[in-house]
Amino acid sequence: MEDTLALIEKEIPRLRRYARYLVRDGSQADDLVQETLARAIEKLHTWQTGTNMRAWLFVIMRNSFISEGRKEQRRPVTSILRDDHPVFAVAGGEETHVAFMDVQKAFESLPGDHRDVLLLVVIEGLKYEEAAAILNVPIGTVRSRVARARMALRDLLEGREDSKVKVLP
């Protein structure tokens, strides 16, 4: 039991990052992490030893987020962080900062399903199978979304207007 709780504790920083991505607000993210941890401990008997703890926790978090959104019937939050927010602290000069902001802007203009798969697979380093389980879609869908999202992000960063993926205005 203590080993399992240690595994859960090890994933808290990643849970916080994923929660911030989902809700885009620090205090709501903390609430979502707390709700996720409470549900995980309550349902600890359902976790199978040897499976990926992070993927299991991400599924719980995503389901909690969706349930809470349905319960409150609120529209998606689309707040934009200020340029001086600590999450954007970048070592380097002005060119590095500008390049980072270009990547952020391009990432935010991608459709939500593309941002989701890029976050889980590329940023969080989950396997396609794990991302498919979290998003509740077939693994082939994850693979094609990752490929299309990478291509769209590359097109946006290179200034191509002929990207085949629709991006948000």
Side-chain angles (χ1 to χ4, degrees):
M1 175 77 163
E2 287 182 31
D3 293 337
T4 307
L5 293 176
L7 287 173
I8 291 173
E9 185 178 352
K10 182 180 159 191
E11 296 300 330
I12 291 175
R14 291 179 185 267
L15 287 171
R16 293 192 79 226
R17 183 171 47 222
Y18 188 47
R20 274 187 246 120
Y21 167 75
L22 289 173
V23 298
R24 305 238 195 311
D25 176 81
S27 63
Q28 286 182 342
D30 290 341
D31 292 344
L32 183 57
V33 170
Q34 185 173 352
E35 176 69 20
T36 300
L37 293 173
R39 286 186 184 192
I41 291 169
E42 179 184 325
K43 302 288 186 185
L44 198 53
H45 65 280
T46 65
W47 181 69
Q48 297 175 1
T49 305
T51 59
N52 187 319
M53 176 63 75
R54 183 183 320 149
W56 184 69
L57 291 169
F58 276 19
V59 168
I60 293 171
M61 178 175 284
R62 186 169 186 273
N63 289 342
S64 296
F65 173 71
I66 291 169
S67 295
E68 188 64 27
R70 286 181 183 153
K71 186 169 57 174
E72 294 184 15
Q73 296 179 358
R74 63 179 179 221
R75 60 185 173 88
V77 178
T78 57
S79 66
I80 298 175
L81 298 176
R82 297 183 326 264
D83 289 348
D84 62 346
H85 192 278
V87 77
F88 299 125
V90 177
E94 184 67 22
E95 290 179 16
T96 304
H97 179 71
V98 169
F100 180 78
M101 296 309 290
D102 288 345
V103 171
Q104 177 197 0
K105 184 177 178 183
F107 180 81
E108 289 176 353
S109 71
L110 293 173
D113 56 346
H114 288 178
R115 287 191 313 264
D116 289 345
V117 297
L118 283 179
L119 176 80
L120 294 173
V121 174
V122 177
I123 296 173
E124 291 298 334
L126 294 177
K127 296 177 182 173
Y128 288 139
E129 295 86 1
E130 296 165 338
I134 290 168
L135 297 172
N136 197 26
V137 296
I139 189 171
T141 301
V142 170
R143 286 187 175 123
S144 64
R145 284 182 186 172
V146 167
R148 286 193 309 261
R150 285 178 173 160
M151 186 177 6
L153 193 58
R154 189 177 316 115
D155 289 349
L156 287 167
L157 291 172
E158 292 175 358
R160 295 186 194 149
E161 299 291 329
D162 60 342
S163 177
K164 294 184 175 153
V165 177
K166 293 227 180 219
V167 293
L168 303 174

